[in-house]
Amino acid sequence: MLNQDVERILVSEEELDRTVTRIAAEIDRDYKDAEHLVLLCILKGSIVFMGDLMKRITVPVEIDCMKVSSYGAGTVTSGRVNIMLDLVRADLGECDILIIEDIIDSGRTLSYLVDYLKLKGARSVKTCTLLDKPSRRVVEFTPDYVGIEIPDEFVVGYGLDFAERYRALPYVGVLKPCVYEK
Ligand code: PRP
């Protein structure tokens, strides 16, 4: 049953499943010779996507996490990227890092993270996002792997939140404006 705060489903469970399977196959193809692939989950929004994606990837992977924050509690971006949990690895120079994101909006988070991880000395850095809102870009950024391009609507579910709610919904839904305009 649809959550009462969700106006409509934008990406169904079936489409999410097909999309994650397709991206995993692309990653398998591109990293088949990689010796040290690390999937880097950007907390918290990417948790569900990361969990489903890593189960479908068949090449050997390690996992790690970072937590960054560029938003306040609501819908307005602050424009700053804060590292709340850093990546600490002595072997970073041998790691092919694939950053796993739930969504790209302004592009600030991924643009910052790619530069940051390269400066820190990663062997290679690529990016993968489940959802992309290209119409919202503030900085130019093109991810290496994209699930689905979506319009500029307030989406929740499958890891994405509004004020920390709705992350556990199994689909991506459009939030009713009355919920965030309160
Ligand atoms: C969201 C999302 C990305 C970022 C994308 O994270 O998970 O990390 O915003 O926006 P950008 O392209 O404008 O930088 P958020 O800060 O909401 O944290 P969360 O993942 O913990 O919900």
Side-chain angles (χ1 to χ4, degrees), residues 13-35:
E13 290 184 63
E14 294 73 24
E15 188 175 359
L16 286 166
D17 189 63
R18 280 197 304 275
T19 302
V20 175
T21 300
R22 192 245 309 151
I23 296 174
E26 292 171 9
I27 293 170
D28 274 347
R29 178 197 64 203
D30 296 348
Y31 286 92
K32 65 178 186 317
D33 298 323
E35 289 185 0

Short mmCIF file of all heavy atoms in Angstrom, two decimals, residues 13-35:
data_model
loop_
_atom_site.label_atom_id
_atom_site.label_comp_id
_atom_site.label_asym_id
_atom_site.label_seq_id
_atom_site.Cartn_x
_atom_site.Cartn_y
_atom_site.Cartn_z
N GLU A 13 9.37 -0.93 -7.59
CA GLU A 13 10.32 -1.96 -7.12
C GLU A 13 10.88 -2.75 -8.30
O GLU A 13 12.06 -3.10 -8.33
CB GLU A 13 9.63 -2.91 -6.14
CG GLU A 13 9.30 -2.26 -4.82
CD GLU A 13 8.70 -3.26 -3.83
OE1 GLU A 13 9.40 -4.22 -3.46
OE2 GLU A 13 7.54 -3.08 -3.43
N GLU A 14 10.02 -3.04 -9.28
CA GLU A 14 10.45 -3.82 -10.44
C GLU A 14 11.48 -3.04 -11.26
O GLU A 14 12.48 -3.58 -11.71
CB GLU A 14 9.24 -4.18 -11.34
CG GLU A 14 8.23 -5.12 -10.71
CD GLU A 14 7.37 -4.47 -9.63
OE1 GLU A 14 7.21 -3.23 -9.64
OE2 GLU A 14 6.88 -5.21 -8.76
N GLU A 15 11.22 -1.74 -11.46
CA GLU A 15 12.16 -0.93 -12.25
C GLU A 15 13.48 -0.76 -11.49
O GLU A 15 14.56 -0.77 -12.09
CB GLU A 15 11.55 0.44 -12.60
CG GLU A 15 12.43 1.20 -13.58
CD GLU A 15 11.84 2.53 -14.07
OE1 GLU A 15 10.72 2.88 -13.66
OE2 GLU A 15 12.53 3.20 -14.85
N LEU A 16 13.40 -0.61 -10.17
CA LEU A 16 14.63 -0.52 -9.36
C LEU A 16 15.45 -1.79 -9.53
O LEU A 16 16.66 -1.75 -9.73
CB LEU A 16 14.28 -0.28 -7.89
CG LEU A 16 13.79 1.13 -7.55
CD1 LEU A 16 13.15 1.16 -6.17
CD2 LEU A 16 14.95 2.13 -7.61
N ASP A 17 14.76 -2.92 -9.47
CA ASP A 17 15.43 -4.21 -9.58
C ASP A 17 16.14 -4.35 -10.93
O ASP A 17 17.32 -4.72 -11.00
CB ASP A 17 14.38 -5.31 -9.40
CG ASP A 17 15.01 -6.66 -9.28
OD1 ASP A 17 15.75 -6.87 -8.31
OD2 ASP A 17 14.80 -7.50 -10.18
N ARG A 18 15.43 -4.00 -11.99
CA ARG A 18 16.03 -4.08 -13.35
C ARG A 18 17.21 -3.13 -13.47
O ARG A 18 18.24 -3.46 -14.06
CB ARG A 18 14.98 -3.68 -14.41
CG ARG A 18 14.00 -4.77 -14.77
CD ARG A 18 13.30 -4.43 -16.08
NE ARG A 18 12.61 -3.15 -16.07
CZ ARG A 18 11.37 -2.95 -15.61
NH1 ARG A 18 10.68 -3.96 -15.13
NH2 ARG A 18 10.81 -1.75 -15.65
N THR A 19 17.07 -1.93 -12.90
CA THR A 19 18.12 -0.92 -13.02
C THR A 19 19.38 -1.34 -12.27
O THR A 19 20.50 -1.22 -12.79
CB THR A 19 17.59 0.42 -12.45
OG1 THR A 19 16.42 0.78 -13.16
CG2 THR A 19 18.63 1.52 -12.59
N VAL A 20 19.20 -1.84 -11.06
CA VAL A 20 20.36 -2.26 -10.26
C VAL A 20 21.07 -3.43 -10.94
O VAL A 20 22.30 -3.48 -11.00
CB VAL A 20 19.92 -2.61 -8.81
CG1 VAL A 20 21.09 -3.15 -8.01
CG2 VAL A 20 19.33 -1.38 -8.13
N THR A 21 20.31 -4.35 -11.49
CA THR A 21 20.89 -5.50 -12.19
C THR A 21 21.70 -5.04 -13.41
O THR A 21 22.80 -5.52 -13.66
CB THR A 21 19.77 -6.47 -12.63
OG1 THR A 21 19.08 -6.91 -11.45
CG2 THR A 21 20.32 -7.67 -13.37
N ARG A 22 21.16 -4.06 -14.13
CA ARG A 22 21.86 -3.54 -15.32
C ARG A 22 23.17 -2.84 -14.93
O ARG A 22 24.22 -3.07 -15.53
CB ARG A 22 20.92 -2.55 -16.04
CG ARG A 22 21.38 -2.14 -17.44
CD ARG A 22 21.75 -0.68 -17.58
NE ARG A 22 20.75 0.24 -17.10
CZ ARG A 22 21.04 1.44 -16.62
NH1 ARG A 22 22.29 1.85 -16.55
NH2 ARG A 22 20.09 2.25 -16.19
N ILE A 23 23.13 -2.02 -13.87
CA ILE A 23 24.35 -1.32 -13.45
C ILE A 23 25.40 -2.33 -12.96
O ILE A 23 26.59 -2.21 -13.26
CB ILE A 23 24.05 -0.30 -12.33
CG1 ILE A 23 23.13 0.80 -12.85
CG2 ILE A 23 25.34 0.33 -11.81
CD1 ILE A 23 22.68 1.78 -11.78
N ALA A 24 24.96 -3.35 -12.21
CA ALA A 24 25.90 -4.36 -11.71
C ALA A 24 26.61 -5.05 -12.88
O ALA A 24 27.82 -5.32 -12.82
CB ALA A 24 25.17 -5.38 -10.85
N ALA A 25 25.88 -5.32 -13.95
CA ALA A 25 26.47 -5.97 -15.13
C ALA A 25 27.50 -5.04 -15.78
O ALA A 25 28.56 -5.49 -16.23
CB ALA A 25 25.38 -6.35 -16.13
N GLU A 26 27.21 -3.75 -15.82
CA GLU A 26 28.18 -2.78 -16.39
C GLU A 26 29.45 -2.73 -15.54
O GLU A 26 30.56 -2.68 -16.06
CB GLU A 26 27.53 -1.38 -16.47
CG GLU A 26 26.41 -1.29 -17.49
CD GLU A 26 25.63 0.04 -17.42
OE1 GLU A 26 26.06 0.96 -16.69
OE2 GLU A 26 24.60 0.13 -18.08
N ILE A 27 29.28 -2.74 -14.22
CA ILE A 27 30.43 -2.71 -13.32
C ILE A 27 31.25 -4.00 -13.46
O ILE A 27 32.49 -3.96 -13.56
CB ILE A 27 29.97 -2.48 -11.86
CG1 ILE A 27 29.37 -1.06 -11.73
CG2 ILE A 27 31.12 -2.69 -10.87
CD1 ILE A 27 28.66 -0.81 -10.42
N ASP A 28 30.57 -5.14 -13.53
CA ASP A 28 31.27 -6.42 -13.75
C ASP A 28 32.12 -6.38 -15.01
O ASP A 28 33.27 -6.83 -15.02
CB ASP A 28 30.25 -7.55 -13.90
CG ASP A 28 29.83 -8.13 -12.56
OD1 ASP A 28 30.50 -7.84 -11.55
OD2 ASP A 28 28.84 -8.88 -12.52
N ARG A 29 31.53 -5.84 -16.08
CA ARG A 29 32.24 -5.76 -17.37
C ARG A 29 33.47 -4.84 -17.26
O ARG A 29 34.56 -5.21 -17.67
CB ARG A 29 31.25 -5.20 -18.41
CG ARG A 29 31.80 -5.00 -19.81
CD ARG A 29 30.89 -4.07 -20.60
NE ARG A 29 30.86 -2.73 -20.00
CZ ARG A 29 29.86 -1.85 -20.16
NH1 ARG A 29 28.80 -2.16 -20.87
NH2 ARG A 29 29.92 -0.66 -19.61
N ASP A 30 33.28 -3.66 -16.66
CA ASP A 30 34.36 -2.66 -16.65
C ASP A 30 35.47 -2.97 -15.65
O ASP A 30 36.60 -2.52 -15.81
CB ASP A 30 33.78 -1.27 -16.33
CG ASP A 30 32.83 -0.80 -17.41
OD1 ASP A 30 32.78 -1.43 -18.49
OD2 ASP A 30 32.11 0.18 -17.17
N TYR A 31 35.14 -3.69 -14.58
CA TYR A 31 36.14 -3.94 -13.53
C TYR A 31 36.58 -5.41 -13.49
O TYR A 31 37.08 -5.87 -12.47
CB TYR A 31 35.57 -3.53 -12.17
CG TYR A 31 35.52 -2.03 -11.95
CD1 TYR A 31 34.38 -1.30 -12.28
CD2 TYR A 31 36.61 -1.34 -11.42
CE1 TYR A 31 34.32 0.08 -12.10
CE2 TYR A 31 36.57 0.02 -11.22
CZ TYR A 31 35.41 0.73 -11.56
OH TYR A 31 35.37 2.09 -11.36
N LYS A 32 36.42 -6.12 -14.61
CA LYS A 32 36.73 -7.57 -14.55
C LYS A 32 38.21 -7.83 -14.26
O LYS A 32 38.55 -8.86 -13.68
CB LYS A 32 36.26 -8.29 -15.81
CG LYS A 32 36.94 -7.91 -17.10
CD LYS A 32 36.38 -8.78 -18.23
CE LYS A 32 37.07 -8.59 -19.55
NZ LYS A 32 37.38 -7.22 -19.93
N ASP A 33 39.08 -6.87 -14.61
CA ASP A 33 40.50 -7.09 -14.34
C ASP A 33 41.01 -6.30 -13.12
O ASP A 33 42.22 -6.29 -12.86
CB ASP A 33 41.33 -6.68 -15.58
CG ASP A 33 40.97 -7.54 -16.79
OD1 ASP A 33 40.72 -8.75 -16.60
OD2 ASP A 33 40.90 -7.00 -17.91
N ALA A 34 40.11 -5.62 -12.43
CA ALA A 34 40.53 -4.79 -11.29
C ALA A 34 41.03 -5.68 -10.15
O ALA A 34 40.45 -6.74 -9.88
CB ALA A 34 39.37 -3.93 -10.81
N GLU A 35 42.08 -5.24 -9.51
CA GLU A 35 42.63 -6.06 -8.42
C GLU A 35 42.12 -5.63 -7.06
O GLU A 35 42.15 -6.39 -6.10
CB GLU A 35 44.16 -5.99 -8.45
CG GLU A 35 44.69 -6.75 -9.65
CD GLU A 35 46.19 -6.83 -9.69
OE1 GLU A 35 46.85 -6.29 -8.78
OE2 GLU A 35 46.69 -7.43 -10.65
#
